[in-house]
Amino acid sequence: MKTYLAGIGTSVPPKILDNAYFETIIDTSDEWIRTRSGIRERHVVEGTTATSDLALDASRKALAQANIEPKDIEAIIVATATPDMYFPSTACVLQNKLGARNIMSFDIAAGCTGFLYAVGVVDTFIKSGYDNVLMLGAECLTKITDYTDRSSCFLFGDAAGAVVFKKTEEDRGILSSYFASDGSYGDLLNMPAGGSLRPASHETVDQHLHTIRMLGNEVFKVAVRAMGESALKALERANVAPEQVDLLVPHQANIRIIEATAKRLHIPMDKVAVNIDRYGNTSAASIPLALDEAIQKGRVKQGDLVLMVAFGAGFTWSGVLMRL
Ligand code: ACO
């Protein structure tokens, strides 16, 4: 018995910020942002739009594709670093908005690797008897972006990606997975305040501690290594060679990290899903966003081998191999 993707849907807010906007607020250039990160523009939420709003829109699309009503959902898992609030979980907020009742709902915090960690949890649930699990990577990263920090503010965008996983006896679905973390890197990428260590105060607000802090080039080095390692471990566990992969779907953090990962695996870039140019880094939402686009464009179809790899705050990293 396997866990297979029965439906997928995504949501991005309509407002777009292009690189020219950042030239007006920080000392940068469109050329620098494009060559150092691969990003041209990103979608951003406005006003009171929250992560659960994007999640709701994406969920409805995924449920429609899977031909499932909210009443049929057995569990909701939301991977996010930007929940609507600390509690209740965004999964519970979403459960209420969808009108799904009497089910388990909870969030997962694993930074940009959150979507793949959630896939791993769902796989375990499905193998233990669940069916019809709705899971998401959903983020409003721009709500925790420090727009005075020139080294990171241009990177982030907002999006949600929802997937319905079901069980099947067919030869498709999740074939293998690999998960890792190393908390000793925690200080390289974090949001320092707002938790029990440093609760919100005038001081933490004045010091911009409720926003993303990142030592970009340190993160970069570990990301390149960890993404490659994750991919190779997932492939090895399924006894699949890199050349058999039909599409590599990497977390979209930086085009240079994506290219380095593809190079290490000897996978040509025409077999790699890339949309960072249009969405930036949407953290836990980036893999479903790139996968949905690839499916819609006909780049992959049922039966194809899809390798997903991610890296994020924690640090956490993961690789998941799936037959569509
Ligand atoms: N515009 C112009 N110049 C800039 C800017 C900017 N916006 N920001 C920094 N610079 C300068 C620096 O000051 C530095 O100048 P110097 O050489 O004179 O000192 C130079 O550009 C190079 O800076 P680096 O930080 O070394 O730039 P790098 O090539 O590493 O690119 C980037 C920065 C794009 C942030 C990259 O490090 C990166 O993508 N890191 C990884 C991000 C990532 O993977 N995150 C993980 C997931 S995110 C999450 O979990 C939410």
Side-chain angles (χ1 to χ4, degrees):
M1 199 252 294
K2 287 202 174 63
T3 303
Y4 85 103
L5 186 153
I8 181 166
T10 57
S11 179
V12 288
K15 186 177 177 187
I16 292 174
L17 288 186
D18 61 13
N19 290 345
Y21 168 75
F22 290 86
E23 291 177 342
T24 68
I25 62 163
I26 52 169
D27 179 16
T28 193
S29 67
D30 168 50
E31 207 256 333
W32 190 94
I33 296 175
R34 272 190 291 106
T35 52
R36 301 315 291 163
S37 72
I39 300 167
R40 289 173 187 274
E41 58 188 35
R42 65 293 284 150
H43 290 246
V44 299
V45 291
E46 294 180 273
T48 56
T49 302
T51 297
S52 66
D53 296 312
L54 300 181
L56 177 65
D57 186 36
S59 297
R60 285 185 172 141
K61 293 174 190 168
L63 291 170
Q65 201 181 89
N67 207 12
I68 283 173
E69 303 282 329
K71 67 173 173 44
D72 301 323
I73 303 169
E74 292 171 26
I76 299 176
I77 301 174
V78 177
T80 185
T82 47
D84 285 21
M85 56 191 84
Y86 257 109
F87 56 87
S89 68
T90 300
C92 284
V93 177
L94 177 63
Q95 175 198 7
N96 185 45
K97 287 184 176 182
L98 279 169
R101 296 283 168 246
N102 302 319
I103 59 166
M104 170 175 63
S105 307
F106 63 95
D107 289 358
I108 283 184
C112 302
T113 317
F115 181 79
L116 293 189
Y117 266 48
V119 169
V121 172
V122 171
D123 192 29
T124 307
F125 281 143
I126 298 253
K127 284 179 175 143
S128 68
Y130 278 78
D131 202 1
N132 297 336
V133 178
L134 173 66
M135 59 147 286
L136 298 97
E139 304 279 11
C140 286
L141 280 189
T142 65
K143 298 249 183 161
I144 58 162
T145 296
D146 180 353
Y147 284 97
T148 65
D149 179 3
R150 80 196 274 255
S151 67
S152 73
C153 68
F154 58 88
L155 291 169
F156 306 116
D158 303 324
V163 170
V164 174
F165 277 112
K166 290 175 67 67
K167 61 170 170 255
T168 181
E169 297 301 329
E170 291 171 26
D171 181 24
R172 60 189 294 207
I174 296 164
L175 303 180
S176 66
S177 53
Y178 170 75
F179 303 97
S181 64
D182 187 341
S184 69
Y185 291 110
D187 288 344
L188 297 184
L189 174 57
N190 65 10
M191 187 172 84
S196 57
L197 180 65
R198 274 189 258 192
S201 66
H202 288 292
E203 234 177 15
T204 60
V205 172
D206 290 345
Q207 292 172 9
H208 297 220
L209 298 182
H210 296 274
T211 51
I212 300 168
R213 307 278 101 186
M214 180 169 74
L215 285 175
N217 53 16
E218 295 299 316
V219 178
F220 189 98
K221 285 180 232 160
V222 191
V224 168
R225 201 175 60 231
M227 297 262 282
E229 176 194 306
S230 300
L232 290 170
K233 290 264 200 243
L235 288 170
E236 189 186 303
R237 287 178 179 186
N239 202 18
V240 167
E243 56 269 25
Q244 291 174 266
V245 171
D246 294 296
L247 189 72
L248 174 67
V249 186
H251 168 50
Q252 312 279 309
N254 186 311
I255 188 66
R256 293 179 293 132
I257 297 175
I258 294 171
E259 286 169 351
T261 305
K263 196 171 163 195
R264 178 155 173 207
L265 298 168
H266 304 290
I267 292 178
M269 285 305 288
D270 64 356
K271 283 186 168 186
V272 183
V274 176
N275 64 7
I276 188 170
D277 50 322
R278 282 161 290 130
Y279 300 105
N281 179 350
T282 59
S283 190
S286 90
I287 287 183
L289 197 61
L291 177 60
D292 187 40
E293 185 175 286
I295 293 171
Q296 282 189 32
K297 285 185 172 167
R299 291 185 69 190
V300 272
K301 54 184 187 319
Q302 193 176 324
D304 283 350
L305 274 179
V306 174
L307 176 61
M308 302 176 283
V309 286
F311 174 85
F315 290 162
T316 53
W317 59 98
S318 171
V320 174
L321 184 68
M322 170 172 86
R323 192 177 293 285
L324 265 188

